[in-house]
Amino acid sequence: MHVLRPQFRIEERHALEFARQCGFGMIVAADERGPRASHVPFVLDQRDGRTIVQIHFTAKNPLVPLADGTRRFLLIVAGDDAYISNDWYSSRDNVSTWLYEAVHLSGVAHLRELDENRGHGDALLAVSEGRLAKQPWDLAQMEPGKRESMLAAIRVVDLVVDQVEGQAKLNQHKSDADHIAVAGRLAQSEESGHRRLARKMQALRPELGYDFS
């Protein structure tokens, strides 16, 4: 019989890899008016034994002056999610819920010098273009004047991560029959994110008999 487990926190190394693969999230910090947030692509790196998340903002973004080397920022990286109806389960009297994966990376933010903008742009493009099945595009192919104008309009920030939190709610606490039933429903969905969650549920309990590949 499968041992039931509560919804669990993702181990740090898996949480960091999850964030790296996503490459996009919401960054949040607070000033005297309250929380400020921006949706940003990022590059995750290891330097001198520390995890660094490097992001960029437009120069006028209100988060730029907050990256003062003392203030804490939070990066929220959300994966796929899916609503689960209570009548999708094999057993009776379940409660409707959501399945999801998410990672939070937090630490102190440091504003970088303008001469680091090109290096950040090159690194971000290398990661993003590397996900596509084509010859990578890079900044060297851009008209120099336009390229320099665009680079001058951004500010690069390093988030030095000192806290990693990750959570995956994928029905770990449900019975094998319920796990199979919900995974099967998600696998039939037209939403690609739902199908990805179904495959992750299958990977959690690969020994079970599923009706999808």
Side-chain angles (χ1 to χ4, degrees):
M1 179 178 293
H2 189 85
V3 177
L4 302 185
R5 296 173 293 172
Q7 65 186 55
F8 64 93
R9 296 195 178 278
I10 306 172
E11 293 181 11
E12 181 171 323
R13 61 189 179 91
H14 294 306
L16 292 175
E17 183 57 26
F18 174 88
R20 187 192 309 277
Q21 291 179 5
C22 287
F24 192 84
M26 181 171 63
I27 193 85
V28 182
D31 61 14
E32 66 280 358
R33 296 176 58 187
R36 300 277 191 167
S38 284
H39 299 268
V40 294
F42 61 85
V43 179
L44 197 151
D45 196 12
Q46 295 288 329
R47 300 185 213 151
D48 302 322
R50 299 184 302 177
T51 298
I52 307 294
V53 176
Q54 190 168 84
I55 60 178
H56 70 273
F57 303 111
T58 60
K60 295 182 179 180
N61 189 302
L63 285 168
V64 170
L66 301 184
D68 55 10
T70 60
R71 199 181 306 259
R72 296 185 66 80
F73 278 42
L74 168 66
L75 176 67
I76 302 169
V77 184
D80 297 313
D81 66 87
Y83 170 73
I84 308 301
S85 178
N86 58 0
D87 60 8
W88 285 10
Y89 293 98
S90 174
S91 59
R92 294 173 56 86
D93 298 325
N94 281 283
V95 177
S96 299
T97 189
W98 275 261
L99 302 188
Y100 64 90
E101 291 181 293
V103 165
H104 293 178
L105 306 177
S106 56
V108 175
H110 303 261
L111 188 64
R112 308 305 299 178
E113 298 296 332
L114 289 173
D115 60 7
E116 297 189 45
N117 287 8
R118 174 62 186 271
H120 168 74
D122 287 338
L124 182 60
L125 279 173
V127 171
S128 302
E129 289 283 320
R131 297 189 176 104
L132 305 178
K134 69 178 185 71
Q135 185 68 26
W137 184 88
D138 58 37
L139 288 172
Q141 301 176 53
M142 194 174 192
E143 192 277 319
K146 180 67 172 178
R147 179 181 64 230
E148 297 310 311
S149 175
M150 292 186 66
L151 288 173
I154 67 170
R155 296 305 307 268
V156 175
V157 170
D158 278 353
L159 173 61
V160 181
V161 177
D162 58 28
Q163 188 170 359
V164 178
E165 299 174 298
Q167 190 165 17
K169 183 183 177 187
L170 298 174
N171 265 1
Q172 299 92 331
H173 59 299
K174 295 295 184 180
S175 69
D176 287 349
D178 283 336
H179 192 88
I180 292 172
V182 169
R185 287 280 192 165
L186 292 175
Q188 298 169 20
S189 173
E190 295 181 357
E191 297 284 343
S192 58
H194 294 180
R195 296 195 299 271
R196 284 192 294 268
L197 286 174
R199 291 194 293 272
K200 290 188 176 184
M201 291 179 67
Q202 183 181 27
L204 282 177
R205 303 187 194 177
E207 73 282 0
L208 302 181
Y210 298 88
D211 293 330
F212 61 93
S213 59

